[in-house]
Amino acid sequence: MVLPWALAVLSLIPLLDAQSPACTNLTAVAPITNATLDRLSGKWFYIGSAFRNPEYNESARSIQAAFFYFEPKHAEDKIILREYQTTGNKCIYNSSYVTVYRENGTLSTYESGREHFADLLLTKHPKTFMLSASWNGKKNVGMSFYADKPEVTQEQKEQFLDAIKCVGIHESEITYSDEKKDLCGPLHMQHEEERNKEEEGS
Ligand SMILES: *[C@@H]1O[C@H](CO)[C@@H](O)[C@H](O)[C@H]1NC(C)=O
Ligand SMILES: *[C@@H]1O[C@H](CO)[C@@H](O)[C@H](O)[C@H]1NC(C)=O
Ligand SMILES: *[C@@H]1O[C@H](CO)[C@@H](O)[C@H](O)[C@H]1NC(C)=O
Ligand SMILES: *[C@@H]1O[C@H](CO)[C@@H](O)[C@H](O)[C@H]1NC(C)=O
Ligand SMILES: *[C@@H]1O[C@H](CO)[C@@H](O)[C@H](O)[C@H]1NC(C)=O
């Protein structure tokens, strides 16, 4: 997805240092409930991320801007994902689904024939969330940050910075998206018009 998703062979949770003050406001979500899925429903903007894993690090740095829609299917433990990603000055649209593993708070997607996992982390702010990756332990930690608007408030950003600090990454290593570089506007508008027409027709 928008992420890059990471191969979470190990859960991030045991890696969080509960003693560190930066970790106090970070809650891993397990289990994921219907209420959690409702909270994730809607339009989200990718704000920024930091990944130790070189593959995800490079991929994250290639994303100029991204936004997406989450449409939860509660009974199927799935979330339909429609994403608009600008990379290399091109808009790439993809529609796929995310599998929800409710018990352990993990989300996954299939890409390039592999299942990619991420742990869902909620902040005190209902209008933001984070996904964390921890592949092969501490040396591959990573985290990405999403909000319901392309610009976050200082308070929202602080929560992400705390989370990043909590996993031992420096602020300067974060890559941010830039809404001004978004090239998916026209395609998104076209899709919205098509959806409106379908609704009128039905
Ligand atoms: C969560 O559960 C699923 C299904 O049992 C498993 O495939 C996945 O590896 C688990 N994720 C973590 C982080 O333990
Ligand atoms: C946790 O959140 C509260 C309320 O937003 C804030 O006052 C506090 O400073 C935060 N703690 C840390 C360690 O950032
Ligand atoms: C990502 O890669 C860049 C360039 O190699 C490096 O400077 C940065 O520290 C890496 N980020 C993380 C979180 O490791
Ligand atoms: C969650 O929602 C689904 C679909 O609406 C429903 O079948 C299920 O019983 C709900 N689960 C709980 C715990 O409410
Ligand atoms: C979009 O989907 C195609 C085919 O499933 C996949 O190869 C590609 O990596 C996806 N692109 C993004 C940005 O997710």
Side-chain angles (χ1 to χ4, degrees):
M1 117 165 213
V2 165
L3 302 184
W5 288 78
L7 296 156
V9 170
L10 293 171
S11 171
L12 171 91
I13 311 313
L15 303 176
L16 295 179
D17 178 1
Q19 301 304 313
S20 160
C23 296
T24 49
N25 282 340
L26 205 58
T27 324
V29 189
I32 293 176
T33 62
N34 279 352
T36 319
L37 294 179
D38 290 340
R39 179 172 156 170
L40 291 177
S41 179
K43 185 178 185 181
W44 295 99
F45 292 86
Y46 163 71
I47 305 298
S49 64
F51 290 92
R52 285 269 182 252
N53 176 289
E55 185 191 337
Y56 298 121
N57 179 324
E58 196 187 326
S59 156
R61 280 184 295 123
S62 75
I63 300 174
Q64 293 164 302
F67 59 92
F68 56 97
Y69 289 85
F70 266 167
E71 189 189 321
K73 296 288 173 202
H74 299 66
E76 293 151 54
D77 290 351
K78 287 203 180 339
I79 304 175
I80 296 180
L81 167 68
R82 289 184 288 124
E83 59 174 319
Y84 297 83
Q85 182 172 311
T86 306
T87 300
N89 296 319
K90 275 203 311 264
C91 170
I92 302 163
Y93 172 73
N94 257 4
S95 173
S96 59
Y97 67 85
V98 175
T99 302
V100 179
Y101 294 106
R102 288 181 180 250
E103 330 73 67
N104 59 15
T106 305
L107 305 178
S108 82
T109 57
Y110 268 99
E111 244 168 71
S112 329
R114 290 188 310 198
E115 190 171 13
H116 298 252
F117 295 98
D119 289 334
L120 175 65
L121 297 176
L122 295 182
T123 60
K124 287 203 169 158
H125 265 276
K127 296 177 182 314
T128 63
F129 72 93
M130 295 181 234
L131 292 173
S132 75
S134 61
W135 181 56
N136 204 8
K138 256 189 169 140
K139 73 180 185 359
N140 278 313
V141 289
M143 206 166 282
S144 48
F145 183 45
Y146 310 88
D148 70 339
K149 296 203 172 62
E151 306 279 343
V152 289
T153 65
Q154 196 53 38
E155 199 195 343
Q156 288 171 333
K157 190 172 166 184
E158 290 294 338
Q159 298 196 328
F160 179 50
L161 296 181
D162 278 348
I164 285 288
K165 209 187 293 167
C166 174
V167 295
I169 295 177
H170 194 266
E171 231 182 278
S172 64
E173 297 176 291
I174 300 171
T175 308
Y176 289 99
S177 65
D178 181 357
E179 198 209 2
K180 290 191 284 297
K181 298 203 171 126
D182 178 72
L183 295 173
C184 287
L187 182 63
H188 176 243
M189 197 182 290
Q190 184 193 324
H191 286 171
E192 291 296 289
E193 280 166 11
E194 283 163 12
R195 289 171 82 85
N196 287 342
K197 257 185 219 139
E198 272 169 31
E199 270 165 31
E200 277 166 25
S202 66

